[in-house]
Amino acid sequence: MVHSFGNGWRGGLIASALPVLCLAAAVLHAEPQLQIDSPQNGQMVMAEGDLTVIVKTPDSVFQSISIVGEGPFALSTGISAPPYRFSYRISAEFASGRYRFRAAGVTGFGATVYSNPVEVDIEQSEKPKKLEAGCQSLSMIEHENAALVIWGTFANGSKVDLTRSTQIIYSSDRPAVAAVSNEGGVSASAVGKARIIVKYADKTVLVPVVVTRSAAH
C-alpha cells in the first residue's frame, strides 16, 4: 500500500521546522556573555583599602576583557585570558560616594560586549574630626541652581570630599525657599531665606541661603 502525501503535509512539515530553524539561528547569533561576579552591586567599600573585581564569562571568544567606569574604574589594562581579576587600591583621599563600572570584552570579530553595570559605595572607615562646606553661605537668584561641596578632615590629616557620600544627610529648614538634593544640589524656588543643614555622623554644618528676585522681574 502506497501512502500519498499532498502539499498540505509538506506545508505542515516546513511550518513545524521553522521554530527549530529560528532557535538555531538565535543560538548561532547569541551575544557572548560577561558578568561581574565580585563585588556585589551596591556593596560598600572602605577607602584606604583594596578592591578586587572578578569577571566571569562562559564564552571563550574574547580577545581581551577590561573594566570601564567612573572614578578609580576609569582605566584598566585589558586581560587576554582567564582568570579575569582586576585589583584597585582605594586611597584615603578618594572622594566618597557611589561609583559605577562594567566589564567590556572585545571579541575576535572586533565587537565590544558589555556586562550589566555594578555600583559600589566608597566610604571612609572613620568619622571626620571636622566637617565644613566649601562656601560659608549662598546668595542665589530665584529659580537658580547651585552645588554644595562638603569636606571632611580626618585624624590622619587627610581632607576628603564627602559631598556625594551616602552617609551625609542634607535637609533644608525652608524647602519652599531653597530645597536640597541627596548629593548637595541646591534649588532656589522662592524669594526668602533658608538654611541648608548638612549632617555626617556627629558633625553638622549650616549653610545660610539668601534668595532674591531676578532682575528681569
Side-chain angles (χ1 to χ4, degrees):
M1 182 176 181
V2 178
H3 294 279
S4 176
F5 298 93
N7 290 334
W9 173 81
R10 292 192 184 91
L13 180 61
I14 293 172
S16 63
L18 282 176
V20 177
L21 293 173
C22 291
L23 178 60
V27 171
L28 288 173
H29 292 89
E31 192 172 73
Q33 298 296 308
L34 281 175
Q35 178 183 345
I36 294 177
D37 193 56
S38 179
Q40 297 298 308
N41 189 38
Q43 180 175 322
M44 183 178 289
V45 178
M46 294 297 110
E48 204 170 7
D50 296 314
L51 174 66
T52 299
V53 177
I54 301 174
V55 180
K56 289 189 175 181
T57 174
D59 302 295
S60 57
V61 298
F62 294 105
Q63 290 187 332
S64 176
I65 292 178
S66 58
I67 300 296
V68 293
E70 305 168 330
F73 312 105
L75 294 172
S76 73
T77 302
I79 298 177
S80 58
Y84 301 108
R85 300 171 67 93
F86 303 83
S87 297
Y88 297 90
R89 178 67 179 174
I90 310 299
S91 70
E93 292 79 17
F94 204 85
S96 297
R98 295 186 179 95
Y99 293 89
R100 180 174 290 194
F101 61 92
R102 53 185 176 169
V106 179
T107 69
F109 298 102
T112 302
V113 177
Y114 294 97
S115 70
N116 289 329
V118 167
E119 189 177 76
V120 295
D121 179 17
I122 297 177
E123 297 294 341
Q124 298 295 316
S125 58
E126 299 180 358
K127 297 178 182 179
K129 295 294 183 182
K130 182 181 179 181
L131 191 69
E132 58 186 326
C135 57
Q136 294 184 345
S137 63
L138 285 175
S139 296
M140 304 177 68
I141 297 173
E142 197 175 11
H143 307 304
E144 186 181 16
N145 296 318
L148 293 176
V149 178
I150 306 299
W151 296 94
T153 303
F154 292 81
N156 61 2
S158 63
K159 192 172 183 178
V160 181
D161 183 351
L162 301 176
T163 308
R164 296 172 55 239
S165 170
T166 59
Q167 307 306 299
I168 273 192
I169 300 174
Y170 293 98
S171 62
S172 171
D173 66 347
R174 296 188 68 193
V177 173
V180 62
S181 72
N182 292 335
E183 293 189 347
V186 180
S187 301
S189 301
V191 174
K193 295 181 179 181
R195 291 189 306 172
I196 303 300
I197 303 132
V198 185
K199 293 183 178 181
Y200 186 107
D202 57 349
K203 299 293 187 291
T204 301
V205 171
L206 300 178
V207 181
V209 181
V210 176
V211 181
T212 56
R213 197 175 304 279
S214 170
H217 294 82

